[in-house]
Amino acid sequence: MEKNNEKRDNLIEVFHPSWLNYFGLFFLIVISIVIAVMFFINELQVWSYFFIFVAIIILLRAVFSRLTYTYTVTTSSVRSRIGIIAKHESEIRMSDIREIGIEQSIGQRVFGIGDVYFASAGTGGVEVVFEGVRAPSEIRDRVNGKRDSSETDEKKRCPQCGELIWIEARVCPHCNYQFEGK
Ligand SMILES: [Zn+2]
């Protein structure tokens, strides 16, 4: 079952959170480097190495945080994966998406980043969130476009009534249109 899904899934896009999401950490890196340079100028080299080390640790932290979050859009679903080794994945099928929203804090607005959330009718709750991504409204519009055009890999459009129905359907559940052959 899992294999089948993989096969007819075509990857459209993969994102990570924007680097701008880690602005606070980058600010700390700059401060650490400035402090390191000041110690170096004052010939306190051990302290300057210490602050260079601190800057590297903070940089690794930012890189690691960003890689921990992976967001994927395929022809049939939207997914978020959290974790590098132990993974937690949530998924919502393109045809199940009922609402796509954007949330932006004031800080995020300044940097043009935000959270995009996807909700299905099924649970009424938010199932997948793309946190801190760049150009969130463009992502929303692209997924919306994909969903609406929505001959996805799972659904087809009935030529008689125009409703979107499962690709396997041989009779349209809305108008009883009969599909030829298989
Ligand atoms: Zn029909």
Side-chain angles (χ1 to χ4, degrees):
M1 194 65 200
E2 192 60 34
K3 280 238 170 65
N4 262 339
N5 280 341
E6 293 293 333
K7 218 186 291 171
R8 58 185 189 185
D9 238 20
N10 292 308
L11 201 66
I12 301 175
E13 292 178 82
V14 178
F15 325 85
H16 293 287
S18 167
W19 284 113
L20 292 170
N21 232 15
Y22 308 102
F23 175 79
L25 293 179
F26 286 113
F27 186 67
L28 289 178
I29 289 170
V30 170
I31 290 181
S32 302
I33 291 170
V34 168
I35 294 172
V37 167
M38 298 213 310
F39 276 121
F40 194 80
I41 289 167
N42 290 291
E43 294 181 348
L44 290 163
Q45 266 127 351
V46 174
W47 280 103
S48 97
Y49 297 147
F50 174 76
F51 278 94
I52 293 286
F53 177 74
V54 168
I56 290 168
I57 294 294
I58 299 171
L59 178 65
L60 290 177
R61 168 87 171 79
V63 170
F64 187 81
S65 297
R66 180 170 184 265
L67 292 179
T68 298
Y69 294 86
T70 307
Y71 310 129
T72 309
V73 177
T74 73
T75 46
S76 61
S77 71
V78 167
R79 280 180 223 149
S80 74
R81 198 182 69 205
I82 301 169
I84 292 177
I85 298 158
K87 289 171 184 149
H88 173 76
E89 191 165 273
S90 20
E91 175 169 23
I92 180 167
R93 284 197 310 202
M94 206 53 97
S95 49
D96 289 339
I97 296 173
R98 288 293 166 274
E99 196 194 339
I100 305 176
I102 293 174
E103 266 170 19
Q104 280 178 303
S105 66
I106 293 168
Q108 284 181 319
R109 213 176 284 269
V110 169
F111 291 118
I113 62 178
D115 302 339
V116 184
Y117 63 85
F118 303 89
S120 83
T123 59
V126 169
E127 270 140 83
V128 173
V129 184
F130 289 0
E131 280 177 54
V133 289
R134 195 158 31 122
S137 56
E138 283 170 29
I139 292 171
R140 178 194 57 200
D141 294 347
R142 277 206 300 277
V143 175
N144 252 330
K146 186 69 208 159
R147 180 184 60 149
D148 294 341
S149 73
S150 233
E151 269 147 77
T152 63
D153 293 350
E154 296 187 310
K155 296 250 179 167
K156 61 185 172 187
R157 211 168 272 284
C158 170
Q160 185 166 287
C161 70
E163 289 285 344
L164 220 46
I165 61 179
W166 295 110
I167 200 111
E168 292 90 354
R170 297 169 70 176
V171 177
C172 174
H174 304 281
C175 69
N176 294 324
Y177 174 85
Q178 302 258 350
F179 287 83
E180 307 270 318
K182 79 172 216 85

